[in-house]
C-alpha cells in the first residue's frame, strides 16, 4: 500500500508503531512499518544509546522518535526547580499516598530493587523544562538519522521545527480535536496524528471515527494518521476509509513479547475487556486512558483528595508506582490489585502475547484483505459519485 505517509517517511506499510521499547521499534520497522520510540523519559545520554542501538539493528531502515519538548523552558537549576515544585504538594496528598501504601502493604524500595525505564527516573525529568535537558535531547535526536520526529504533547516549539527543517526530518504532532489541528497546521508540522478518545495514554474526548475525517478535511496536503483503536487490519482499513494516510498504533504492542511491560502488567492486560479502561488524572495530572485498578478506585472514593496538575501529580505518585511495580512483579496480590498501565480500549482484543513482526503482518494483511472485500460492494461499471469516467 502506498499513501502520503509511506511516501513521507519511506516505509512499505501505512502503519506507525509507537512504543517505549527499542526492540518493538526495531521489529515494527523491520516488518515494513515505522517504529517510533517513545522517548519522553530519557536523559540525553540514554536517548543517544538507544537510538544508536536502534540504528545498528535497522541498518538504514526508517524509524521515528517521539519527544516531550515543552513550548517554554526554564533557566532555573533543576534541583532548585524540583524542590520548589515539591513544596507545592499539599501534605494531605503525601499522607493519602502513603496511606494507600500502608493499606495495601506495599513495602518501601530496597537497594536491590531493579526497574526498567518505566521505573526510576532522573530528577531532571520530573519537570522536563530544564533548558539544558531539552537542548540535549534535540542535539542527540538530530545527531542521529530518524525519519520522523513527533511532539508528544502540544505544539512543537519553533526551535524544534527549525532544527528538523535543517536536517530534513518531518515533524509530527498529536491532536485530539479540530482546534488542536488548526494550531499545529499554523505552526507548520508535516504530519498530524488524530488521536481519538479510545487511545491509551493522554487523550481527549472525541472518538476516532469523528476526529479523523474532521482533521483530514482541514489538513490539505498534510498527511493524517488515525490513532486510537488501531489494532487490527479492519481498523487500519477503516482509518484509510476515513481519509487518513495510515494508522498510528500504540496499545497493541503491549501484547507483544518484545514490549518491556512486566509479566504482572501483561497478565492483567490479557485478562481485560474493552470496557476495563478509564480516563483518569491520577498518574500524570492530565487525562489519560489506562487500565482500571484499585489505585484509580481509591482516588475516586469519598474523602480522597483531588488530583494535582502536571507536573505535581507525577512527582507525588512516582515513588509509589515504583513500589507497586516492584511488589507486583514479585507476585504480591495486593500490589497486583493496584497495578495498572496506560492502554486503550483495544485491550479487549488481546488474546495472547505474540511477536511484534507477527502483529504487524496480521494488521497489514488484514487491512489489504478488507480493502479488497470492500471493492466488491460497488457493482462493476457503476459510476462512483464525484469521480469522472475514464
Amino acid at each position: 500500500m502506498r499513501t502520503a505517509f509511506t511516501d513521507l517517511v519511506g516505509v512499505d506499510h501505512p502503519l506507525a508503531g509507537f512504543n517505549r521499547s527499542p526492540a518493538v521499534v526495531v521489529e515494527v520497522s523491520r516488518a515494513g512499518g515505522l517504529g517510533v520510540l517513545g522517548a519522553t523519559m530519557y536523559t540525553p545520554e540514554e536517548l543517544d544509546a538507544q537510538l544508536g542501538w536502534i540504528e545498528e539493528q535497522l541498518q538504514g531502515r526508517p524509524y521515528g522518535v517521539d519527544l516531550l519538548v515543552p513550548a517554554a523552558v526554564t533557566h532555573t537549576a533543576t534541583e532548585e526547580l524540583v524542590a520548589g515544585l515539591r513544596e507545592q504538594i499539599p501534605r494531605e496528598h503525601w499522607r493519602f499516598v502513603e496511606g494507600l501504601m500502608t493499606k495495601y502493604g506495599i513495602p518501601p524500595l530496597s537497594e536491590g530493587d531493579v526497574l526498567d525505564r518505566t521505573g526510576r527516573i532522573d530528577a531532571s525529568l520530573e519537570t522536563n523544562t530544564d533548558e539544558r535537558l531539552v537542548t540535549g535531547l534535540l542535539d542527540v535526536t538530530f545527531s542521529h538519522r530518524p525519519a520522523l520526529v513527533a511532539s508528544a504533547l502540544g505544539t512543537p516549539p519553533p526551535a524544534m521545527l527549525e532544527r528538523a527543517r535543517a536536517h530534513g526530518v518531518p515533524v509530527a504532532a498529536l491532536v485530539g480535536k479540530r482546534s488542536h489541528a488548526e494550531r499545529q497546521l499554523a505552526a507548520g508540522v508535516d504530519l498530524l496524528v488524530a488521536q481519538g478518545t479510545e487511545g491509551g495514554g493522554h487523550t481527549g474526548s472525541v472518538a476516532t471515527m469523528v476526529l479523523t475525517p474532521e482533521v483530514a478535511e482541514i489538513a490539505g496536503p498534510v498527511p493524517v494518521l488515525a490513532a486510537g483503536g488501531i489494532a487490527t487490519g479492519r481498523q487500519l482499513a477503516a482509518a484509510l476509509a476515513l481519509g487518513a494516510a495510515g494508522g498510528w498504533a500504540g496499545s497493541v504492542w503491549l501484547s507483544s513479547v518484545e514490549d518491556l511491560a512486566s509479566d504482572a502488567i501483561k497478565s492483567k492486560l490479557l485478562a481485560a475487556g474493552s470496557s476495563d479502561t478509564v480516563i483518569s488524572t491520577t498518574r500524570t495530572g492530565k487525562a489519560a486512558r489506562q487500565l482500571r485498578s484499585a489505585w484509580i478506585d481509591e482516588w475516586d472514593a469519598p474523602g480522597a483528595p483531588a488530583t494535582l496538575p502536571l507536573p505535581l501529580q507525577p512527582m507525588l505518585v512516582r515513588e509509589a508506582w515504583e513500589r507497586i511495580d516492584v511488589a507486583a512483579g514479585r507476585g504480591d496480590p495486593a500490589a497486583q490489585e493496584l497495578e495498572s498501565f496506560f492502554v486503550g480500549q483495544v485491550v479487549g482484543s488481546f488474546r495472547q502475547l505474540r511477536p511484534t513482526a507477527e502483529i504487524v503482518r496480521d494488521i497489514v494483511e488484514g487491512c489489504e484483505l478488507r480493502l479488497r472485500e470492500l471493492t466488491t460492494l460497488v457493482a462493476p461499471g457503476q459510476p462512483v459519485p464525484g469521480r469522472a469516467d475514464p
Side-chain angles (χ1 to χ4, degrees):
M1 290 178 282
R2 182 176 179 180
T3 70
F5 169 70
T6 62
D7 288 344
L8 179 68
V9 297
V11 295
D12 298 326
H13 309 309
L15 178 67
F18 167 81
N19 194 270
R20 74 202 188 289
S21 310
V24 171
V25 173
V26 166
E27 292 304 312
V28 171
S29 288
R30 280 178 173 165
L34 184 76
V36 180
L37 179 67
T40 58
M41 298 305 284
Y42 283 116
T43 64
E45 294 75 18
E46 291 167 337
L47 180 60
D48 186 41
Q50 297 296 350
L51 296 187
W53 183 83
I54 288 172
E55 290 180 342
E56 182 181 350
Q57 303 304 308
L58 290 179
Q59 294 294 304
R61 282 186 175 273
Y63 70 93
V65 184
D66 186 87
L67 296 172
L68 177 55
V69 181
V73 296
T74 179
H75 301 284
T76 304
T78 298
E79 295 77 10
E80 181 181 342
L81 176 63
V82 169
L85 288 170
R86 290 177 70 86
E87 289 179 0
Q88 297 178 34
I89 300 175
R91 291 184 179 179
E92 69 165 315
H93 284 72
W94 291 115
R95 288 195 294 268
F96 177 77
V97 172
E98 190 53 43
L100 287 183
M101 298 297 96
T102 301
K103 177 179 178 178
Y104 286 85
I106 309 302
L109 296 170
S110 66
E111 288 297 324
D113 292 330
V114 178
L115 301 175
D116 61 25
R117 287 302 307 164
T118 63
R120 251 165 269 175
I121 59 174
D122 187 280
S124 64
L125 299 178
E126 289 196 308
T127 64
N128 204 42
T129 58
D130 187 316
E131 182 183 32
R132 293 168 299 177
L133 172 67
V134 172
T135 301
L137 290 171
L138 291 176
D139 287 344
V140 166
T141 298
F142 294 114
S143 71
H144 289 273
R145 302 181 302 280
L148 181 77
V149 174
S151 178
L153 197 63
T155 305
M160 180 178 178
L161 288 163
E162 291 167 5
R163 296 190 68 170
R165 297 281 182 277
H167 288 83
V169 179
V171 176
L174 276 69
V175 300
K177 55 185 178 180
R178 182 189 180 105
S179 60
H180 294 166
E182 291 171 341
R183 287 199 295 270
Q184 301 287 11
L185 290 168
V189 301
D190 305 289
L191 177 73
L192 292 173
V193 180
Q195 179 170 313
T197 190
E198 303 95 318
H202 295 115
T203 188
S205 59
V206 184
T208 304
M209 178 70 76
V210 174
L211 180 64
T212 302
E214 192 172 48
V215 172
E217 182 181 11
I218 66 171
V222 176
V224 175
L225 298 184
I230 309 297
T232 68
R234 288 174 179 264
Q235 289 159 342
L236 180 57
L240 296 172
L242 292 171
W248 176 284
S251 296
V252 68
W253 317 115
L254 291 168
S255 66
S256 72
V257 295
E258 291 88 357
D259 180 79
L260 287 170
S262 69
D263 291 341
I265 291 173
K266 288 187 176 182
S267 64
K268 292 194 73 170
L269 296 177
L270 290 174
S274 58
S275 60
D276 291 331
T277 67
V278 63
I279 294 178
S280 170
T281 59
T282 60
R283 286 192 70 153
T284 70
K286 291 181 69 67
R289 186 175 293 281
Q290 54 211 278
L291 191 67
R292 183 170 185 172
S293 75
W295 169 270
I296 293 171
D297 291 342
E298 292 284 357
W299 280 90
D300 287 341
T307 57
L308 302 172
L310 183 77
L312 299 184
Q313 185 71 14
M315 295 175 75
L316 167 69
V317 305
R318 177 171 63 86
E319 184 178 337
W321 272 105
E322 293 178 9
R323 292 165 63 179
I324 292 169
D325 288 338
V326 168
R330 291 173 177 162
D332 185 302
Q336 290 173 347
E337 285 186 57
L338 293 167
E339 187 65 279
S340 177
F341 202 70
F342 303 106
V343 68
Q345 292 179 324
V346 298
V347 68
S349 67
F350 296 177
R351 297 292 178 265
Q352 60 184 353
L353 299 182
R354 299 185 293 157
T356 297
E358 180 181 316
I359 296 173
V360 173
R361 184 179 65 250
D362 284 354
I363 292 175
V364 171
E365 291 181 354
C367 177
E368 292 174 341
L369 174 61
R370 188 57 186 153
L371 292 176
R372 286 193 293 270
E373 291 172 342
L374 289 173
T375 63
T376 66
L377 300 181
V378 180
Q382 180 177 327
V384 178
R387 180 180 298 171
D389 291 335

